[in-house]
Amino acid sequence: MRLIQYIRLVVALVAGVIVTGCTQNNGSIGDWFGEWQLQSITVNDVDDDAYTGDVLWKFQNDIVEMVVVNAVGHSHSEHYGTWSSDDATLILNFTHHDDLNPVGSSKYAPPAQTMLPAAVTQLKILRLSSKELVLRYDSAEDKSIVYVLQKRG
């Protein structure tokens, strides 16, 4: 009977290590980790009525993936960059490329509805918690763009 209990304990421990070991590549990134839905965009204190809530931001390791979900056709497009942050600033880098896509184009450019450039961009972190992220981007065209994101799941 003790052998069966021991085997169950070992199996439970191994399963726990497997489940938790692969969720965050290269260690914990804290509140950033996971999938965030871009809830709203405000430009110069005016809601962007054209934005339909169709963009997700996903953070893992130093990769950011922005996904545009097309609910009508059940399709999506993926946009990849890298990111880093300190207490006050999120830095997005959309200057990557591959053999088929030039620097900052196609899947290496942020979605058009975010109004972010295909460049290295700094966003001010206005609020970051495990459930909500609020960022501000001050563009070269004198636009102040605020993004409100909520954690999914």
Side-chain angles (χ1 to χ4, degrees):
M1 195 64 162
R2 284 183 174 244
L3 179 60
I4 292 173
Q5 288 176 336
Y6 178 75
I7 291 172
R8 286 182 181 162
L9 176 64
V10 170
V11 168
L13 287 172
V14 169
V17 168
I18 289 171
V19 168
T20 60
C22 296
T23 59
Q24 296 192 35
N25 184 19
N26 287 340
S28 174
I29 57 172
D31 288 334
W32 291 103
F33 180 78
E35 185 174 276
W36 298 82
Q37 182 168 12
L38 179 56
Q39 297 289 315
S40 65
I41 300 172
T42 305
V43 181
N44 294 336
D45 297 322
V46 176
D47 286 338
D48 179 7
D49 293 333
Y51 178 66
T52 61
D54 59 351
V55 179
L56 303 173
W57 296 26
K58 299 179 182 184
F59 295 92
Q60 184 170 351
N61 194 7
D62 66 343
I63 304 297
V64 61
E65 175 188 13
M66 293 185 183
V67 179
V68 179
V69 179
N70 179 348
V72 175
H74 303 289
S75 63
H76 67 280
S77 62
E78 300 163 341
H79 305 261
Y80 296 97
T82 52
W83 71 279
S84 63
S85 70
D86 59 28
D87 290 339
T89 307
L90 170 65
I91 299 170
L92 298 177
N93 182 347
F94 281 97
T95 63
H96 304 286
H97 65 90
D98 60 28
D99 291 342
L100 301 175
N101 299 286
V103 171
S105 67
S106 185
K107 67 180 182 178
Y108 298 111
Q113 54 268 61
T114 65
M115 295 176 261
L116 290 168
V120 177
T121 307
Q122 294 188 14
L123 294 92
K124 181 170 176 51
I125 301 169
L126 303 178
R127 186 170 32 258
L128 171 61
S129 71
S130 61
K131 301 284 184 200
E132 184 179 43
L133 174 60
V134 181
L135 304 165
R136 186 182 73 226
Y137 169 58
D138 296 315
S139 74
E141 296 86 34
D142 292 327
K143 290 182 183 176
S144 179
I145 305 172
V146 174
Y147 305 94
V148 177
L149 299 98
Q150 288 186 337
K151 180 80 72 85
R152 291 178 47 137

